[in-house]
Amino acid sequence: MAALTAADAAFEATGNFSDCHSKVEFFLSASGLKKMDTFSNSDAFCVVYINGIEIGRTEVVYDSQTPRFTTQFQIDYFFEEKQDVLIVCYDEDKKGSADLRHHELQGEIRCSMAELMCADGTSVTKQITKRGRDGNHGSLTLHAEEMQMCSEHLSFQISGKKLVNKDGMFGRSDPFFTIKRSREDGSWIPVYKSVHIMNNLSPTWPGDMVSVQQLANGDMHRPLRIEVWDYESDGKHDAMGMVETSLAEMVECPQLAVFETKKGGKKKAAGHLKV
């Protein structure tokens, strides 16, 4: 859904390129979004602009007031130039439509690339505002990091075996997984999300090819967390367990034990993942 690359946007806005720049990536997350529909949660997505030019859109996260988007935005950060960032959040109304008039406006935030890159932990949280509407509309957070150049891609497919059931005696869970990577401040940001598979405790998810840069910013040994969830249509997914690993470990030891963390910090076996 991207309109222009960040470099194209910067050139179009300023008319020239600067040698004083670095490649930066950032991800978005939101919290406390206002419910736009009476009987359901928000189906949120964001549109990102640099100096007034659209550079891309996130995926839609359905049924959540606290979406964490996995879309990665790559920006050429020019140290000596002003780069204004505008992020506009919408609630999807007409599924699949690229026309923003078909969706309901949640609100927007503004900052600059310099503000983001100079912030503690290179993360900035802003309150969402909506013209003509007072009150709490939630917040958006940008998580940025300087990119390490890496052209390698990883082709993988993950399957589960004997995952725990969260749907009681008469049902089976509908599992999906997310991959999160660690940040220097100890937080974790989602960088990949699978589809969910209905009624299956030993699912095989579709294979995919993803860049090593997106998954781990080029570092095969960077800590990753694979979290398995039981999909719920209301967005309140149930945790089925997780494993901490790295791309290097996934290549060398393709079978990973999944654990649930119980009260008191005790871990309980919750099946296996095979990569």
Side-chain angles (χ1 to χ4, degrees):
M1 299 175 72
L4 292 172
T5 67
D8 290 337
F11 177 78
E12 191 164 320
T14 64
N16 56 59
F17 290 108
S18 169
D19 290 334
C20 300
H21 76 282
S22 65
K23 198 80 171 179
V24 171
E25 61 173 11
F26 68 77
F27 295 86
L28 301 174
S29 62
S31 179
L33 294 180
K34 195 169 184 177
K35 289 187 69 171
M36 309 302 285
D37 302 314
T38 304
F39 301 107
S40 63
N41 292 322
S42 294
D43 303 325
F45 70 95
C46 294
V47 185
V48 179
Y49 302 85
I50 301 291
N51 289 344
I53 298 171
E54 181 181 335
I55 65 164
R57 303 180 182 187
T58 68
E59 78 278 18
V60 179
V61 175
Y62 292 98
D63 299 305
S64 178
Q65 306 310 118
T66 57
R68 304 191 71 184
F69 304 99
T70 61
T71 301
Q72 179 194 63
F73 296 93
Q74 298 183 2
I75 307 295
D76 288 299
Y77 169 44
F78 296 92
F79 309 142
E80 299 175 349
E81 299 174 12
K82 185 178 181 182
Q83 291 175 279
D84 294 318
V85 181
L86 168 65
I87 300 173
V88 186
C89 185
Y90 291 88
D91 179 30
E92 184 187 61
D93 281 344
K94 187 174 182 180
K95 191 170 184 177
S97 175
D99 189 340
L100 296 176
R101 294 172 296 181
H102 292 159
H103 311 293
E104 191 167 2
L105 177 67
Q106 287 265 14
E108 65 182 45
I109 69 164
R110 295 175 182 269
C111 69
S112 69
M113 284 301 299
E115 179 184 3
L116 174 60
M117 297 309 296
C118 293
D120 290 341
T122 57
S123 290
V124 167
T125 298
K126 297 275 189 175
Q127 293 300 307
I128 296 171
T129 61
K130 189 174 183 179
R131 185 176 299 177
R133 298 287 182 90
D134 295 329
N136 183 12
H137 299 280
S139 63
L140 274 170
T141 300
L142 292 78
H143 313 270
E145 185 174 339
E146 189 169 350
M147 291 174 58
Q148 305 301 315
M149 292 298 101
C150 177
S151 60
E152 295 181 352
H153 284 70
L154 183 69
S155 179
F156 68 95
Q157 183 173 41
I158 293 180
S159 59
K161 183 177 180 181
K162 296 182 179 180
L163 301 176
V164 295
N165 187 25
K166 295 294 181 177
D167 282 349
M169 294 179 60
F170 303 105
R172 290 187 178 181
S173 293
D174 311 316
F176 69 93
F177 69 88
T178 62
I179 300 177
K180 296 180 178 179
R181 77 179 191 213
S182 66
R183 286 172 49 86
E184 290 184 359
D185 61 5
S187 63
W188 298 82
I189 57 171
V191 294
Y192 185 87
K193 181 181 178 180
S194 76
V195 299
H196 65 274
I197 296 180
M198 301 295 291
N199 303 314
N200 197 331
L201 300 180
S202 295
T204 296
W205 290 281
D208 206 348
M209 180 174 287
V210 185
S211 71
V212 174
Q213 192 284 319
Q214 177 179 336
L215 292 174
N217 201 11
D219 183 356
M220 292 290 290
H221 297 279
R222 187 165 187 164
L224 300 178
R225 179 181 286 174
I226 304 176
E227 299 177 350
V228 185
W229 297 86
D230 179 19
Y231 173 82
E232 300 293 344
S233 60
D234 62 1
K236 298 178 180 178
H237 312 303
D238 297 317
M240 298 175 66
M242 72 172 187
V243 57
E244 291 192 11
T245 183
S246 66
L247 291 180
E249 183 179 9
M250 290 167 67
V251 171
E252 296 172 4
C253 306
Q255 182 156 300
L256 306 169
V258 179
F259 292 93
E260 285 187 284
T261 302
K262 298 294 188 179
K263 291 182 178 179
K266 290 186 177 181
K267 290 187 176 181
K268 180 181 178 181
H272 290 83
L273 295 177
K274 184 178 180 180
V275 183

